[in-house]
Amino acid sequence: MFSQESGAVVELVDQLGRLPGIGRKSAERLAYHLLRVPKSEALALAASITNVRENVRYCETCFNLSEGPACEICRNPNRDKSRLCIVEQPRDLMSLEQAGVYQGLYHVLLGRIAPLDGIGPDQLTIDPLIDRVRTGNFNEVIMATNPTLEGDGTSLFISNLLSEYPVEVTRLARGITSGSILEYANKEILADALTGRQKL
Amino acid sequence: MFSQESGAVVELVDQLGRLPGIGRKSAERLAYHLLRVPKSEALALAASITNVRENVRYCETCFNLSEGPACEICRNPNRDKSRLCIVEQPRDLMSLEQAGVYQGLYHVLLGRIAPLDGIGPDQLTIDPLIDRVRTGNFNEVIMATNPTLEGDGTSLFISNLLSEYPVEVTRLARGITSGSILEYANKEILADALTGRQKL
């Protein structure tokens, strides 16, 4: 590897190698790339990382990413305030927004209950969620956690807590995915699809 | 995508997406990762990029990466000063160093002659190379450009220039790669291997 003389490069390769999906070789390739591009481009990336960490925080209401105390969705008067969609992470919210199929509000849990990873309900934003449902005028809470064991468990836990409030709790439909090939759907997917079959 | 509210995140995704091998989705994943890790870790990456671009430059002799006017290899009194190995990029030098099979000096061309990309000999460090060979006491110059059309062309060009100096010009051996499977070697590789066959 680099000698002490190039400590700055070693350090950069090290830092880049900590990013998810970036192995040793990729980190070296990225470091050389950053050494080769115009200096302004490399510094722009550094500034962008710093800017995000200095200025982006969580919305105080829904815990979406925001550059102010309230995110753009919470401040938007045109959103449907009778529906609340629960997601695990800001990027799940972003996927739904990109699809453009939902006009209600969100609540970001910032994780899922995962006993094996030592993550309990207290580490999520469940208390503020209950407060919102108690004081808000939501007709429906849509659980949109990931369709995994832990995501389903988290949804179940939350729907139990919400059962004492006059709100309908639903979850995203399960079934075969549009554009997929039936032959490759596994048993669980097909069971979901049959259970939830719809009238044509 | 993100609204104007999260301009900092949009900007970061954009910057990350410019890195080689990082597509849109990966850039988003990396941005969320940088938002999730401890702030100090994200800022350390930004500082590392800045530090590299502020402090790393090219060695004035061999054009290896260096944090001072002369790189560690050029300043090392134990290197064999009778041999000079020519490589295209600092990372090629690094590969050879990591292999630990060469004790001589290097000269980094910072590219290869590539007429189709508009890169001619003038844009490489060929003039300083000729100066080094003229004034130095090298017995041998080893061409270690990439075994590609452009790398081979660059080596040929340089060896022609060096023919007027009393120095032996060699190039890295071509043949089958150790650990590979003969069945998968193509015609060119097998031709190289036969042409360069060695006495057992």
Side-chain angles (χ1 to χ4, degrees), chain B residues 58-65 90 107-110 125 128-129:
Chain B
Y58 294 120
C59 169
E60 290 172 9
T61 307
C62 77
F63 299 91
N64 182 18
L65 296 175
H107 192 87
V108 182
L109 296 172
L110 298 178
T125 64
L129 166 62

Side-chain angles (χ1 to χ4, degrees), chain A residues 2 5-8 11-12 20 32-37 39 46 48 50 52-54 67 75 91 94, chain B residues 2 5-8 11-12 20 32-37 39 46 48 50 52-54 67 75 91 94:
Chain A
F2 286 98
E5 195 63 27
S6 314
E11 168 70 18
L12 178 58
Y32 281 117
H33 172 83
L34 289 169
L35 276 159
R36 213 169 40 227
V37 295
K39 188 175 172 182
S48 194
T50 306
V52 148
R53 288 310 303 246
E54 297 292 357
E67 287 180 48
R75 294 193 300 114
R91 68 173 130 174
M94 218 49 62
Chain B
F2 286 98
E5 193 64 28
S6 314
E11 168 71 18
L12 178 58
Y32 282 117
H33 172 83
L34 288 169
L35 276 159
R36 214 168 39 227
V37 295
K39 188 175 173 182
S48 192
T50 306
V52 150
R53 288 310 303 247
E54 297 293 357
E67 287 179 50
R75 295 194 298 114
R91 68 175 131 173
M94 218 49 60

